[in-house]
């Protein structure tokens, strides 16, 4: 049963309410060739309390009295949260108490035991039972029915352990002693300054453990490599690893289908032998496809997937099965004349527009949330996610495949992963090198079938040293890796992978919108692997549920005060001083928390929009912009920094600024040359567009107006259609209003800017790695003088499948005294209900002048029969609530 959305927001996203756990129950295994059954729950205990050895704990007679029942992928901290051991750890600095050893009782410096019972059916004769670990942080000793069967290490290596000789029909026991993690000392997962360090350093079976059943021959690592000489033809190369698990030789017949093409081959396997079984157009002509269905990134086409199904038969009986989905597409990259990386999908260049991914801080596995986050990525108009470490499981890449979202995966910075590059942490040992190699091999096998994956970064803030770089590249190539291998996310190279073609020159803290158009540092040229203007302030309701009253007061009153939810450590980002200083200079000193948050929304919208639009504007430039990764897409916990949507998934100014900039066909203003630019991220040309450009004073009077008709816009290109002239008589704050319509007059893109006659002035010579100082700020303080505007709202709602679709029309009557600036619409489940989250809007945070109207649509999961209540507010618009009416023909 799925958790209702209103509760899910509280349960899955707020640590103040823990995940409910039922009593522990054994995992039941059904015998079937090729079956993979996840251990879906454990009993967990600190070894300081459970001091027995593995032989006793993994015996049937052991009573796990007082142990914690936890879910199958729970880290130690996640398991304790599931059991209510700690409350409200995401509120204020409550987590600090758990992090202090004296307060937590040193819970996380000793190993922890995980114990699970699984039952096997009676007839297991001739079957092989394997234990599959999918990554353990940091390492674990494994015991089955009183026998130690393995020791495994590393967050990413996948290990299959044949435990056939130690299991039997009926009840069996698996016990794991998981050893403490430290990302400075082990190849696990670290967080640097993204959020506080989890008290347990994420130790535990974070990707789960499976029981695998097979016959004498096991099939592993099914793989399809597609070659696309042109869009009308493709060839498929199919491979699978066949391993004889028996002590006698076997003939195995491998049969199956790939994209509907029949496959068959018989191989002879000696005892214990592993052989890669291959199919190609030379052996199977049908694998040369005419008119294949091509996988395209979102906005450029559809994302069709094909299926590979294989089985191995021994002596006429099915021994094992293997399957995977795959897509047909080509990925390549080269370096521009300036040395920056440019990606090509199916031969077409494209601008990478993405964000940096963060899972939950405690690595809790929530399929509902992950799907909702991909819906947000689609809604934002992004085409890429970058994973810097924290690499996800199969579901993540399946969602990326289905949604057409490209993934740039890679290892993380700053901890043991980069200690060999002399960035801190302990030196690598031979054991570390082995774990790294196993990690790379496992990740290559996981990623290589997914058409969404377009490359792997073997380094982040530093390229790996030669020996490690060679190991990574050799391991990838041994896995038939056909995608670009990138040396690092910085401007460094390795002998094997070549120059990275990336830049990481900042900023990470506040700079003005005009910064992004500069031809230096983090400006819009080349490939920016991680970059943003830092602070992203959530909406008021989220600030109030993450910060204590004292922290809320400090947020708007004291710019130099440290905020635990900005950086829990004493890092550069522990204070929001650059952001707060700019906000006070540009919009006026805040007078309350609500005033601070309202001003922050305008700033975040304006700045995030400018970042993406600058890269749009320069995608066809002589010094082209080829990619930008907003740092970050999301947060691992409630944060005041670095996100396009916050931990509560409540879209705010940053979200809607990014969404506006990343429209598929878009009209925008350029801060550097006053140009009006049209952007087309789709492949198809657009004909007969109509553009309207207006420049308005603060009182709404039009100081400049121009209409353009019959505009042709090529696919995957930009076009400058006009430049604003010098305009006399502008008010200190003025507006640029842009409208783009189709040849039939239907709205395509609408964009409104508030600009100052006083420019932001950057002090470039005093730039550092995270910001460029400002010596003069733009002046938007006259926005405070806007009279109260009149805004009218009408809403209807209807059911569409499992979703509710609510449509709201905002209108500003001609009699209104002023522009209705930055109107925001939220929806609640009834008059006093929870906010409707997650929610996908067609647009929001909109600005209208007297006589104008706009229609917005929201889509979200249906809950009950209560009609939604819409809350409308704005910079100079009185807050109002309206109840939507049921659209005719719906079952409200």
């Amino acid at each position: 049963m799925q958790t209702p959305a209103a509760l899910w927001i509280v349960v899955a996203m707020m640590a103040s309410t823990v995940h409910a756990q039922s009593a522990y129950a054994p995992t039941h295994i059904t015998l079937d060739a090729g079956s993979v059954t996840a251990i879906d729950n454990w009993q967990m205990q600190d070894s300081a309390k459970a001091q027995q050895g593995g032989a006793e704990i993994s015996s049937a007679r052991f009573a796990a009295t007082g142990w914690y029942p936890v879910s199958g992928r729970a880290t130690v901290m996640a398991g304790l949260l599931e059991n209510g051991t700690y409350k409200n750890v995401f509120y204020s600095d409550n987590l600090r108490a758990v992090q202090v050893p004296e307060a937590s009782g040193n819970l996380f410096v000793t190993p922890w035991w995980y114990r699970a019972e699984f039952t096997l059916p009676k007839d297991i004769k001739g079957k092989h039972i394997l234990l599959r670990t999918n990554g353990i942080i940091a390492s674990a000793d494994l015991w089955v029915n009183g026998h130690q069967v393995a020791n495994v290490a590393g967050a990413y290596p996948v290990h299959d352990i044949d435990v056939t000789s130690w299991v039997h029909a009926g009840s069996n026991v698996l016990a794991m002693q998981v050893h403490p993690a430290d990302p400075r000392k082990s190849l696990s997962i670290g967080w640097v300054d993204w959020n506080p360090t989890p008290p347990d350093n994420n130790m535990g079976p974070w990707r789960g453990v499976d029981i695998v059943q097979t016959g004498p021959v096991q099939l592993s690592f099914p793989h399809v490599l597609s070659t696309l000489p042109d869009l009308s033809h493709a060839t498929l190369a199919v491979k699978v690893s066949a391993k004889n698990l028996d002590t006698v030789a076997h003939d195995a017949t491998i049969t199956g289908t790939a994209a509907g093409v029949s496959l068959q081959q018989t191989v002879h396997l000696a005892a214990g032998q592993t052989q890669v079984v291959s199919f190609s157009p030379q052996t199977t002509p049908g694998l040369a496809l005419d008119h294949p269905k091509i996988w395209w990134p979102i906005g450029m086409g559809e994302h069709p997937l094909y299926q590979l199904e294989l089985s191995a038969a021994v002596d006429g009986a099915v021994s094992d099965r293997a399957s995977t989905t795959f897509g047909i597409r080509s990925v390549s990259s080269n370096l521009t004349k300036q040395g920056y990386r440019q990606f090509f999908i199916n031969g077409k260049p494209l601008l990478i527009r993405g964000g940096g991914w963060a899972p939950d801080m405690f690595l809790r596995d929530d399929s509902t949330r992950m799907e909702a986050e991909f819906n947000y990525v689609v809604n934002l108009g992004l085409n890429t996610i970058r994973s810097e470490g924290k690499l996800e499981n199969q579901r993540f890449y399946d969602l990326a495949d289905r949604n057409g979202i490209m993934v740039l995966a890679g290892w993380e910075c700053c901890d043991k992963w980069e200690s060999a590059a002399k960035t801190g942490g302990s030196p690598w040992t031979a054991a570390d090198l082995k774990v790294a190699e196993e990690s790379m091999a496992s990740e290559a096998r996981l990623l290589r079938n997914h058409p969404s994956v377009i490359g792997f970064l073997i380094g982040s803030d530093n390229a790996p040293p030669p020996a490690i770089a060679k190991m990574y590249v050799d391991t990838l190539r041994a896995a038939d890796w056909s995608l670009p291998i990138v040396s690092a996310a910085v401007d460094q190279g390795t002998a094997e992978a070549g120059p990275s073609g990336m830049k990481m020159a900042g900023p990470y803290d506040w700079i003005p919108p005009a910064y992004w158009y500069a031809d230096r540092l983090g400006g819009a040229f080349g490939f920016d692997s991680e970059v943003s203007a830092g602070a992203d302030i959530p909406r008021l309701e989220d600030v109030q549920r993450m910060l204590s009253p004292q922290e809320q007061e400090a947020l708007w009153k004291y710019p130099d005060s440290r905020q635990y939810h900005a950086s829990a450590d004493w890092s550069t980002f522990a204070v929001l001083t650059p952001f707060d200083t700019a906000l006070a200079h540009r919009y006026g000193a805040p007078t309350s928390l609500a005033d601070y948050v309202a001003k922050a929304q305008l700033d975040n919208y304006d700045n995030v929009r400018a970042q993406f639009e600058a890269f749009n504007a320069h995608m066809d430039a002589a010094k082209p912009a080829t990619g930008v990764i907003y740092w970050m897409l999301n947060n691992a916990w409630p944060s005041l920094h670095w996100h396009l949507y916050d931990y509560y998934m409540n879209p705010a100014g940053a979200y809607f600024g990014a969404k506006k900039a990343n429209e598929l066909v878009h009209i925008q203003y350029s801060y550097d040359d006053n140009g009006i630019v049209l952007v087309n991220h789709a492949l198809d040309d657009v004909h007969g567009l109509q553009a309207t450009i207006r420049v308005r004073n603060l009182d709404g009077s039009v100081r400049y107006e121009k209409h353009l008709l019959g505009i042709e816009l090529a696919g995957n290109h930009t076009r400058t259609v006009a430049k604003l002239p010098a305009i006399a008589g502008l008010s200190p704050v003025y507006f640029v209003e842009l409208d783009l319509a189709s040849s039939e007059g239907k709205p395509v893109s609408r964009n409104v800017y508030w600009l100052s006659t006083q420019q932001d002035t950057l002090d470039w010579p005093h730039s550092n790695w995270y910001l460029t100082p400002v010596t003069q700020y733009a002046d938007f303080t006259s926005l405070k003088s806007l009279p109260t505007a009149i805004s009218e709202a009408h809403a209807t709602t209807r059911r569409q499948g499992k979703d509710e679709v609510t449509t709201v029309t905002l209108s500003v009557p001609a009699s209104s005294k002023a522009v209705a600036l930055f109107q925001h619409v939220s929806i609640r489940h009834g008059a006093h209900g929870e906010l409707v989250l997650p929610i996908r809007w067609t647009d929001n945070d909109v600005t209208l002048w007297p006589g104008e109207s706009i229609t917005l649509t929201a889509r979200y999961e249906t809950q009950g029969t209560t009609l939604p209540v819409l809350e409308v507010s704005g910079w100079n618009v009185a807050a109002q609530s309206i109840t939507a009416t049921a659209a005719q023909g719906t079952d409200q």
Side-chain angles (χ1 to χ4, degrees), residues 550-775:
Q550 294 80 9
E551 290 165 330
Q552 293 174 36
E553 182 180 26
L555 182 63
W556 70 272
K557 276 188 177 180
Y558 309 116
D560 295 327
S561 64
R562 180 190 175 198
Q563 284 285 348
Y564 190 68
H565 285 260
S567 176
D569 302 319
W570 284 102
S571 79
T572 301
F573 307 107
V575 296
L576 302 180
T577 309
F579 176 84
D580 289 349
T581 301
L583 205 66
H585 276 91
R586 297 171 104 238
Y587 291 97
T591 57
S592 66
L593 178 64
D595 183 55
Y596 174 88
V597 171
K599 289 170 178 173
Q601 299 314 307
L602 265 73
D603 186 274
N604 288 160
Y605 182 103
D606 200 20
N607 214 317
V608 174
R609 175 179 60 179
Q611 177 175 335
F612 283 106
E613 285 187 339
F615 279 81
N616 285 345
H618 295 166
M619 60 186 278
D620 290 331
K623 188 178 181 181
T626 59
V628 58
I629 302 296
Y630 188 87
W631 200 250
M632 299 177 63
L633 173 68
N634 58 345
N635 286 143
W637 89 316
S639 177
L640 300 168
H641 262 307
W642 302 325
H643 60 257
L644 294 179
Y645 56 88
D646 73 354
Y647 189 77
Y648 306 107
M649 295 189 73
N650 190 4
Y655 184 102
F656 292 110
K659 177 175 172 57
K660 177 59 61 179
N662 286 293
E663 292 173 328
L664 201 59
V665 178
H666 177 63
I667 188 169
Q668 63 183 56
Y669 165 80
S670 292
Y671 283 82
D672 57 342
D673 62 1
N674 294 324
I676 306 302
V677 178
L678 304 188
V679 183
N680 184 1
H681 288 298
L683 291 179
D684 293 334
D685 300 344
V686 185
H687 306 286
L689 290 169
Q690 308 175 48
T692 299
I693 305 163
R694 293 188 186 91
V695 178
R696 296 177 181 265
N697 267 348
L698 200 61
D699 62 5
S701 60
V702 176
R703 303 298 300 167
Y704 174 84
E705 186 167 11
K706 187 172 186 177
H707 301 278
L708 303 170
L709 302 175
I711 305 168
E712 302 295 297
L713 182 58
N716 205 21
H717 281 287
T718 64
R719 180 179 176 185
T720 299
V721 294
K723 289 195 176 184
L724 296 183
I727 302 170
L730 290 176
S731 53
V733 176
Y734 63 98
F735 300 93
V736 174
E737 181 185 10
L738 307 176
D739 282 288
L740 187 66
S742 69
S743 57
E744 296 84 16
K746 295 180 180 179
V748 172
S749 175
R750 185 173 190 275
N751 212 347
V752 175
Y753 299 80
W754 46 99
L755 302 172
S756 170
T757 53
Q758 177 173 297
Q759 302 296 309
D760 293 291
T761 303
L762 288 148
D763 183 10
W764 291 105
H766 291 96
S767 300
N768 57 35
W769 66 272
Y770 65 93
L771 67 79
T772 295
V774 177
T775 57

Side-chain angles (χ1 to χ4, degrees), residues 46 100-110 112:
D46 184 1
V100 178
E102 292 74 18
S104 61
N106 282 315
L107 281 178
F108 311 111
V109 299
T110 54
W112 278 70

Side-chain angles (χ1 to χ4, degrees), residues 12 39 101 114 161 188 286 294 335 393 467 598 600 614 625 651 693 772 774 886:
I39 299 291
Y114 283 74
I161 304 137
S188 58
I294 306 298
L335 299 180
N393 57 31
I693 305 163
T772 295
V774 177

Side-chain angles (χ1 to χ4, degrees), residues 191-268:
W191 294 93
V192 197
D193 52 10
W194 299 15
N195 49 259
T197 299
D200 65 341
N201 279 316
N202 295 129
M203 72 163 150
W206 75 292
R207 276 186 171 179
V209 176
D210 303 323
I211 306 295
V212 179
Q213 184 270 309
T214 180
V217 172
Q218 180 191 16
L219 295 181
S220 303
F221 317 134
H223 175 41
V224 180
L225 178 63
S226 61
T227 304
L228 200 63
D230 58 62
L231 298 182
S232 299
H233 303 88
T235 60
L236 306 181
V238 179
K239 292 185 179 181
V240 68
S241 179
K243 181 178 182 179
N244 184 359
L245 300 174
D246 271 359
T247 56
V248 297
H250 286 294
D251 289 332
T253 300
I254 316 298
T255 59
T257 59
V261 178
S262 295
L263 309 172
Q264 182 168 328
Q265 189 176 155
T266 299
V267 295
H268 179 79

